[in-house]
């Protein structure tokens, strides 16, 4: 089994990579850090093209779109949320997901029963809107919508797509006050990815297996 995880240098991505390696899977973990073994800036078409060239002809059984940013934490409505922050947030959290899937589609088609897992957030749900974090919420909602529509178009190709809330996790993004550890999130997500198939494609689920309201 070959798993590709974007943003695998830390946090949930790193924990998922470690867990799959422990299972004996071949793992390609990407990072935009200088010197990364598999460099990928998900927002850059040139970087995506370089990844496609590196993986030409290599089948990928599972693509985990994990790379993302939360730039507007603590921004104030009256004075914050600058335009360039919106552009960078959507570039990473939405366009970056689409480009990764588009770039690696031939690799996914080369595998049997390939899967795509998109990490969104409970903050994407339009039933849970407590205010604030407008850029992150809007971009994760867009990623959810993207995943739902991709599930329709990729089903005839035999590729299942799932969208997941990883939990409120104690990472640099989630903070020390978050509910669960990185290990708990990764363990739950692995079980969700294992269960994903064409009958459940388009699902929006939590890390611990509950269907999440849209």
């Amino acid at each position: 089994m070959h798993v590709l995880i974007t943003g695998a240098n830390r946090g949930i991505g790193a924990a998922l990579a470690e867990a799959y390696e422990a299972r004996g899977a071949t793992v390609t973990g990407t990072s935009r850090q200088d010197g990364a073994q598999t460099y990928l800036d998900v927002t850059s078409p040139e970087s995506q093209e370089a990844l496609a060239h590196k993986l030409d002809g290599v089948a990928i059984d599972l693509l985990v779109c994990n790379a993302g940013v939360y730039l507007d934490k603590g921004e104030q409505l009256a004075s914050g949320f600058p335009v360039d922050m919106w552009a960078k947030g959507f570039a990473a959290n939405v366009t970056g997901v689409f480009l990764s899937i588009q770039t690696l589609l031939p690799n996914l088609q080369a595998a049997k029963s390939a899967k795509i897992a998109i990490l969104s957030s409970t903050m994407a749900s339009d039933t849970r809107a407590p205010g604030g974090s407008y850029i992150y919420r809007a971009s994760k909602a867009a990623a959810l919508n993207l995943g739902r529509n991709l599930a329709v178009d990729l089903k005839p190709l035999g590729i299942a797509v799932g969208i997941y809330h990883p939990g409120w996790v104690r990472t640099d993004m989630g903070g020390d006050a978050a509910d669960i550890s990185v290990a708990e999130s990764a363990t739950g997500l692995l079980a969700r990815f294992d269960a994903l198939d064409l009958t459940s494609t388009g699902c929006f689920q939590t890390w611990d297996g509950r269907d999440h309201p849209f």
Side-chain angles (χ1 to χ4, degrees), residues 20 23 186-196 207:
Y20 276 114
R23 285 186 174 188
T187 298
L189 289 171
L190 254 70
R192 306 287 76 73
F193 302 166
D194 287 345
L196 176 64
W207 66 278

Side-chain angles (χ1 to χ4, degrees), residues 119-167:
L119 294 197
S120 181
S121 170
T122 190
M123 295 168 76
S125 174
D126 63 13
T127 65
R128 300 183 181 180
S133 297
Y134 306 117
I135 297 171
Y136 187 75
R137 291 182 191 280
S139 65
K140 287 299 185 179
L144 170 58
N145 184 278
L146 174 64
R148 294 274 292 169
N149 282 281
L150 283 168
V152 174
D153 290 334
L154 293 177
K155 187 173 184 178
L157 301 180
I159 300 172
V161 181
I163 307 98
Y164 302 95
H165 166 50

Side-chain angles (χ1 to χ4, degrees), residues 5 8 12-22 27 29:
I5 304 168
I12 297 170
L16 287 171
E18 183 177 344
Y20 276 114
E21 286 172 349
V27 178

Side-chain angles (χ1 to χ4, degrees), residues 7-15 30-33 66 68-69 171-173 182:
N9 57 302
R10 61 180 182 175
I12 297 170
T30 77
S31 171
R32 62 177 177 175
Q33 287 188 332
N66 166 71
V69 295
T171 61
D172 290 343
M173 184 182 292
V182 170

Side-chain angles (χ1 to χ4, degrees), residues 45-126:
E46 293 78 17
S47 184
Q48 294 279 3
E49 185 177 350
L51 179 65
H53 180 73
K54 181 175 183 177
L55 296 176
D56 185 32
V58 176
I60 294 174
D61 300 284
L62 172 63
L63 168 61
V64 182
C65 296
N66 166 71
V69 295
Y70 185 178
L71 303 176
D72 58 324
K73 187 184 296 186
E75 289 288 305
Q76 300 300 310
L77 177 58
S79 58
F81 305 98
V83 170
D84 65 335
M85 187 179 287
W86 282 92
K88 290 176 181 177
F90 270 76
N93 296 347
V94 187
T95 309
V97 172
F98 178 78
L99 288 176
S100 298
I101 294 169
Q102 184 181 53
T103 295
L104 297 171
L105 184 56
N107 307 83
L108 292 162
Q109 288 182 275
K112 281 188 176 181
S113 305
K115 305 179 186 184
I116 298 169
I118 297 172
L119 294 197
S120 181
S121 170
T122 190
M123 295 168 76
S125 174
D126 63 13

